[in-house]
Amino acid sequence: MSGTAHQAVQVGTVSGGIHLHGVPEPERANTPTPRQLPSDVRGFVNRTAELRELDAALAGQDGDAHAPVCVVAGTAGAGKTSFALRWAHRSRERFPDGQLYINLRGYDPGRPVTAREALDRFLVSLGVPAASVPADEDAAAALYRSLLADRRVLVVLDNAATVAQVRPLLPGSPGCLVLVTSRSRLSGLSVRDGARRLTLGTLPEPEAVALLRAVTAEHRPPDDPAELVELARLCARLPLALRIAAERAASLPHLGLDDLIADLRDESALWDVLSVGDEEERDAVRTVFAWSYRALPDPAARLFRRLGLHPGPEFGLHVAAALAELTTGRARQLLDTLVGAHLVEQTAPDRYQFHDLLRAYATDQAQQEESPAQREAALRRVLDWYLHTADAAQQWLSPAEARLPLDPPTDGVQPLIFADYNAAADWAERDRANLLHSVRTAAAAGLDRPTWQLAAALWNAPAPSAPGADWIPAGHLGLAAAVRLPDRVAKALLLTDLGMSCTRVNRLDDAEAHHRDALALFRELGDRGNEAHALNLLGLTQLRRRRLDEAAAHFDEAIAVFRQLGETHWEATVLANLAGTHHHAGRLEPARAAAEQALAAHRASGDRRAEGNALRLLGEILREQGALADSLTAAQDAVEIALALRNHRLEAFWLITLGDSQHAVGQHAEALDSYHRSAVLYRRLGDRSREALAWHGAGQTHLHLDRPGEAAVFFRRASATHHELGDLWHEARSLDGLAHALYGLDTEAARRHWTAALALLAEYRDPRAARQREQIERALAS
C-alpha cells in the first residue's frame, strides 16, 4: 500500500449556537420528534376483534401512574408484527411527540439486539449525541426516562425474547405507551410492570378462509369451501403460513386445491428435525415453509437458501446476484419468484428483506444442502461484492484517499459502478448497515484479510450522514484481524482510521495514542508518505487541544515531507491546517496568506471538500480583519459545497462559520438559524464539543440582542460541556460570555466567572490568549 492519503483537514474551533427562543431547557426543546414506524401492512385482514380489544385495554391509560405496557404474544407466524403496526398506524395521532420502533430480533438467527444497544439507538433518535450516551446501562435508562417524561410517545418493541430486553426501555411516567411483540408471554412484565397481555392465537376458521380467498380470488376459479377449510387447517390457521400457501395456490390456478393439499400433507413428515418443541403451530409453519420451498424451481431454491448466508436481513438485487453467481437479470427473475411465493418481501425497487423465521429457515437449508466449501465460497463472494462496491464508491466519496490494494473481484462478482457522487452517496447510506454486518460476519468466520479490508473500505466510503461512533467497533475488529495476520501495513492503516474516528467523538487521548502508534509503524516500514499523513493527523489532534506550538511543528514536518515527495495536493491540505493554527493563535496575516495559497491549490485540483475547508477558514480570518462582506460570501460558498456533498459533518462545522459571519453583518435571525442547524447536526453526529460551540454562538448572539437571560442559559451549557471534556480554552471563553451575560444581573457571579476564566487561560501564551486575558483583567478592574 503506497499511502493512506486520508482527507485530513483542519477542524478548528469557532463560536456558534442554537436558537431556542429563550426556552430554559434547550436540550428538551430541541428534542427531535421520531417517526420510526415501518410502513403499515398492505392487505391486512381480520383481527378486528383483537384491535378493538387492544383499544379497550388501553382506553384508561390516562389514569395510570406509569406508562402502559401491552404485550402482544403469540406463536411464530401469528402475525404479531403486522397486528402491532396496524394498531400503531391507526393510533398515531394519540402520540404527537413521536413513535419509536426497534426490531429486537429476539428470535433471529443472528445475535439479538440488547437493551443496551436499543437504548443507544433510542437516545440518539431523541437527540442525545452518541458520545453523550452514558456508559452505564442504568444511567442510560434513566436519561431515556427523563427525555420521555411529560411526553406522549409510542414505543414499539418488536420481537422481544426476554424481559431483560424490554424492561430498561420502559418509560417511567404516564402519557407514553409501550407495545411489545413476543413469542413468549413475558410474564415478568405483567407481575412487576403491570403489563396487559393480548394473545394472538390462530385465526378463527372463517377468518382464515377469508384470508385465503382474499389472496387467491383474482387468480384462480372459486375453490371448494371444504378444501379451503382443510388448507387453512393444515396451515394451523396462522397468517404467515396462510399467505404463503395462498400465494402458491394463486400461482397454480389450473391445479386443483385437493392436489395442493395432498402435497402439503406429504411434506408434513419431512421436517420433524426442524421442529422447535412440541407446538403444533410451529410444526405447521415449518411444514408450509418446506412445502413452498420444495415447490420452487431449483435455481430459485438455491438463491433462497444462499440468501440465508447474507450478513443482514435486508439486501439488494446486485449482492443477491453475486451470492448466487447470477446475472442481475436472472437474479431479479428469481427474486420475483421468491416474492410471489411470499418467501421474501420486496421493500423498494431492487431491495428485499426476510421475515426472521424465513431467514432462519433459509440458513437451515443452506447448512443442510450446501457443502462447507459452497457456503464459504458464497460468503466470500458476498463479502467481496461489498468490498469492491465500497471501493468503487470511495472514488466519489473520498477521491483523495489512497485506494486499498485489492485483488480482482472473485468470479461471479460484479460490483456496482457509480455514475456520480450522488449515486455513490445513496448506496453508502442505504448499505452502511450491511457493511457493518459484513465486518462482523467476516470476523466471526475467521476471515482476517476480508475483515480488515472491509473495515478500512467502510471508513473510506462513508455515508455522508453517518455518526462518528458507529464505525469504531468495526475498526477494532479490523485492527485485531490485522494483528492476527500479522500485517503491519494494515495495522497502521486501521490505527490511523481509529485515530480519526476517536477525534470525531472527542476521545482525544485515544486518538493521539492511535496516531502515534501509526506514525511509529510507518517509520519502521519506511513509508514516508504515510508518515507525513500521520504527522498531519497528530497535528490536528494537538490543534483540537489547542497545543498550538506542537500542532505547528507537526504540520511543518508533514509539509516538508509532502513537498519532498511532490505531493502538492497534500502539501496544500496541511498548509491549510497550518493556516488554522496561525488563526487560532491570532496571527491573522500569515494565516490569511497560507489559507489563500491553499484555496488556490485546491481549486486548481478540483478537490471541492478541501476547497470548502479553505473557504471556511478564510471566512473566519476575513471576519476578524473587518472584511465582513467577503467573509460572509466565503462562508456561504463553503456551506453550499457541504450541501452539494451531502456531508453533514462538514455542513455542521461550516454552518458555525456562516453563523459568525451573519452575526457580524447584523443578520442575527439568520445567524441563530445557522447555529441551530449546526447544533442539531452535531447532536446527531455525536460531537459534543462542536455542539457546545454552537451553544456558545447562540449565547453571543442573544447577548448582542440584549437578551442576557437567554444568553446565560447557552453559555452555562457550553461551559459545562467543555469542562467535562477537559477543554480549558473553550470553557474559559464560555465562562467569559457567561460573565458578560450576568454582569447587569448578578455582578458578584459575573466576577467569579471571570476569575475562573482567567485561571483557565494561564497556561496559554499565544497572542490571542494574551488579548483574551487582558480583556478579562480590564473587566475585573472596572
Side-chain angles (χ1 to χ4, degrees):
M1 183 170 4
S2 61
T4 61
H6 289 282
Q7 181 71 19
V9 295
Q10 191 266 334
V11 287
T13 46
V14 290
S15 60
I18 56 178
H19 186 199
L20 297 176
H21 306 289
V23 176
E25 295 185 52
E27 72 280 12
R28 287 293 304 275
N30 198 35
T31 300
T33 300
R35 305 289 186 192
Q36 297 184 342
L37 292 179
S39 60
D40 199 358
V41 181
R42 291 181 297 174
F44 185 90
V45 296
N46 305 314
R47 299 297 192 193
T48 53
E50 288 90 342
L51 288 168
R52 286 196 299 269
E53 183 180 347
L54 184 54
D55 285 332
L58 300 173
Q61 66 169 324
D62 292 337
D64 289 347
H66 303 285
V69 181
C70 184
V71 176
V72 178
T75 191
K80 299 178 294 296
T81 297
S82 297
F83 173 82
L85 291 178
R86 169 51 58 99
W87 186 87
H89 279 280
R90 291 198 332 174
S91 307
R92 277 185 304 179
E93 293 183 0
R94 297 170 60 180
F95 304 99
D97 296 314
Q99 302 90 41
L100 293 167
Y101 171 89
I102 190 166
N103 185 349
L104 294 171
R105 302 197 179 280
Y107 305 96
D108 197 76
R111 184 175 61 87
V113 177
T114 65
R116 167 81 253 190
E117 292 167 332
L119 277 171
D120 288 351
R121 297 185 201 178
F122 280 173
L123 287 171
V124 171
S125 299
L126 292 168
V128 178
S132 299
V133 173
D136 177 74
E137 182 176 315
D138 290 340
L143 176 58
Y144 168 75
R145 291 191 295 270
S146 297
L147 289 172
L148 293 186
D150 302 322
R151 304 183 76 203
R152 300 185 69 84
V153 174
L154 173 63
V155 182
V156 180
L157 307 178
D158 201 10
N159 290 314
T162 65
V163 171
Q165 279 183 297
V166 172
R167 184 164 283 137
L169 306 175
L170 300 181
S173 54
C176 296
L177 185 148
V178 181
L179 193 57
V180 185
T181 72
S182 179
R183 298 181 201 173
S184 167
R185 293 168 61 84
L186 300 181
S187 298
L189 292 179
S190 300
V191 173
R192 177 173 161 184
D193 304 285
R196 299 169 174 86
R197 184 186 302 117
L198 188 154
T199 300
L200 291 188
T202 59
L203 290 173
E205 182 180 291
E207 294 188 0
V209 170
L211 193 156
L212 291 171
R213 282 189 172 132
V215 176
T216 61
E218 297 180 3
H219 302 282
R220 55 186 292 125
D223 289 299
D224 182 275
E227 291 178 345
L228 286 171
V229 169
E230 176 64 6
L231 181 57
R233 186 191 68 77
L234 287 172
C235 293
R237 302 198 308 274
L238 289 167
L240 178 60
L242 287 164
R243 286 185 180 276
I244 292 173
E247 293 288 356
R248 184 173 173 193
S251 70
L252 299 169
H254 303 299
L255 189 64
L257 203 58
D258 55 343
D259 292 325
L260 293 173
I261 290 170
D263 286 346
L264 183 53
R265 284 199 189 102
D266 289 342
E267 289 289 352
S268 64
L270 297 178
W271 300 105
D272 291 342
V273 69
L274 294 177
S275 65
V276 180
D278 297 324
E279 295 185 21
E280 178 183 351
E281 294 90 349
R282 294 187 181 184
D283 291 344
V285 168
R286 288 191 178 273
T287 298
V288 172
F289 287 177
W291 181 60
S292 185
Y293 171 70
R294 291 289 180 181
L296 292 172
D298 287 344
R302 185 182 305 111
L303 174 60
F304 174 77
R305 62 179 178 261
R306 288 187 178 179
L307 286 171
L309 303 174
H310 184 267
E314 189 267 349
F315 53 90
L317 166 68
H318 295 84
V319 72
L323 191 58
E325 296 181 280
L326 300 169
T327 65
T328 54
R330 181 60 173 149
R332 184 181 283 111
Q333 287 179 327
L334 296 179
L335 283 165
D336 286 345
T337 299
L338 297 179
V339 171
H342 213 67
L343 293 175
V344 298
E345 177 187 358
Q346 185 165 7
T347 58
D350 292 342
R351 300 295 293 186
Y352 306 85
Q353 70 178 14
F354 271 121
H355 185 286
D356 59 353
L357 279 177
L358 286 161
R359 185 180 178 211
Y361 182 77
T363 304
D364 283 342
Q365 295 313 111
Q367 293 293 326
Q368 292 188 29
E369 298 187 38
E370 302 276 334
S371 69
Q374 288 174 321
R375 293 197 301 271
E376 181 176 343
L379 179 59
R380 285 185 178 274
R381 284 195 302 275
V382 73
L383 298 178
D384 207 36
W385 186 89
Y386 278 116
L387 177 62
H388 281 274
T389 300
D391 181 64
Q394 176 193 332
Q395 297 177 67
W396 292 99
L397 300 175
S398 305
E401 302 280 358
R403 304 275 293 280
L404 293 173
L406 303 180
D407 295 330
T410 306
D411 290 344
V413 172
Q414 294 184 333
L416 294 180
I417 298 173
F418 301 101
D420 55 29
Y421 180 93
N422 282 324
D426 287 342
W427 177 82
E429 296 282 5
R430 189 171 54 245
D431 271 295
R432 183 171 181 81
N434 282 330
L435 280 164
L436 290 167
H437 282 306
S438 295
V439 177
R440 290 192 289 267
T441 299
L447 302 174
D448 286 335
R449 181 174 169 82
T451 298
W452 83 255
Q453 288 182 326
L454 280 162
L458 177 57
W459 175 265
N460 288 346
S465 66
D470 72 342
W471 179 87
I472 292 177
H476 283 298
L477 289 174
L479 178 61
V483 171
R484 283 193 299 269
L485 281 170
D487 186 330
R488 290 193 299 164
V489 174
K491 179 182 177 183
L493 174 60
L494 268 299
L495 283 167
T496 300
D497 295 344
L498 279 166
M500 288 188 287
S501 191
C502 288
T503 297
R504 290 181 176 180
V505 293
N506 305 298
R507 289 166 46 180
L508 298 182
D509 287 342
D510 291 340
E512 183 172 345
H514 290 321
H515 288 315
R516 290 196 184 281
D517 288 346
L519 177 61
L521 275 173
F522 286 132
R523 283 175 169 164
E524 288 176 16
L525 294 165
D527 188 338
R528 293 282 286 160
N530 278 321
E531 177 186 345
H533 286 297
L535 287 166
N536 178 43
L537 292 165
L538 270 172
L540 289 172
T541 305
Q542 303 295 6
L543 182 57
R544 187 107 172 197
R545 291 180 157 184
R546 200 179 170 74
R547 297 173 181 171
L548 302 184
D549 290 342
E550 294 177 50
H554 288 310
F555 292 145
D556 284 334
E557 192 174 355
I559 287 171
V561 175
F562 282 134
R563 185 174 296 149
Q564 183 182 24
L565 296 174
E567 294 275 4
T568 55
H569 168 80
W570 290 108
E571 180 184 348
T573 296
V574 186
L575 183 63
N577 294 339
L578 182 60
T581 308
H582 289 315
H583 173 251
H584 280 281
R587 303 183 183 98
L588 300 185
E589 283 304 325
R592 179 172 177 174
E596 288 176 337
Q597 184 179 343
L599 176 61
H602 289 313
R603 279 179 169 163
S605 70
D607 188 331
R608 295 282 284 163
R609 177 173 171 172
E611 177 187 349
N613 181 67
L615 282 166
R616 185 269 313 166
L617 178 58
L618 192 59
E620 294 181 5
I621 297 166
L622 290 169
R623 186 188 68 254
E624 289 195 49
Q625 290 183 326
L628 301 185
D630 291 341
S631 168
L632 182 61
T633 298
Q636 289 170 333
D637 290 347
V639 170
E640 287 300 317
I641 289 174
L643 291 172
L645 295 175
R646 296 165 49 180
N647 189 305
H648 290 185
R649 188 173 306 280
L650 299 181
E651 179 187 354
F653 190 31
W654 299 347
L655 275 169
I656 296 176
T657 300
L658 178 58
D660 292 342
S661 297
Q662 289 166 329
H663 175 92
V665 299
Q667 297 177 2
H668 301 302
E670 292 85 349
L672 287 169
D673 182 61
S674 293
Y675 295 141
H676 173 79
R677 288 166 57 200
S678 174
V680 168
L681 288 170
Y682 271 132
R683 176 166 294 193
R684 188 183 307 151
L685 293 166
D687 193 330
R688 297 178 63 207
S689 175
R690 296 282 170 71
E691 186 182 358
L693 295 178
W695 292 336
H696 180 94
Q700 293 280 43
T701 305
H702 283 297
L703 191 60
H704 186 88
L705 294 171
D706 198 24
R707 300 173 185 165
E710 295 173 62
V713 170
F714 291 101
F715 285 132
R716 281 196 181 94
R717 290 303 307 270
S719 63
T721 299
H722 290 311
H723 176 79
E724 184 181 345
L725 295 173
D727 187 339
L728 306 185
W729 171 259
H730 286 102
E731 181 185 358
R733 293 186 67 239
S734 293
L735 286 173
D736 178 41
L738 179 57
H740 280 288
L742 295 177
Y743 189 71
L745 305 172
D746 187 342
T747 304
E748 287 305 311
R751 296 180 67 82
R752 286 196 303 272
H753 292 312
W754 271 321
T755 301
L758 202 57
L760 293 172
L761 292 170
E763 69 174 72
Y764 299 108
R765 293 289 178 266
D766 56 88
R768 188 182 296 278
R771 289 195 293 271
Q772 186 81 38
R773 282 194 299 271
E774 290 171 2
Q775 292 170 3
I776 294 175
E777 287 168 350
R778 284 197 298 271
L780 283 169
S782 62

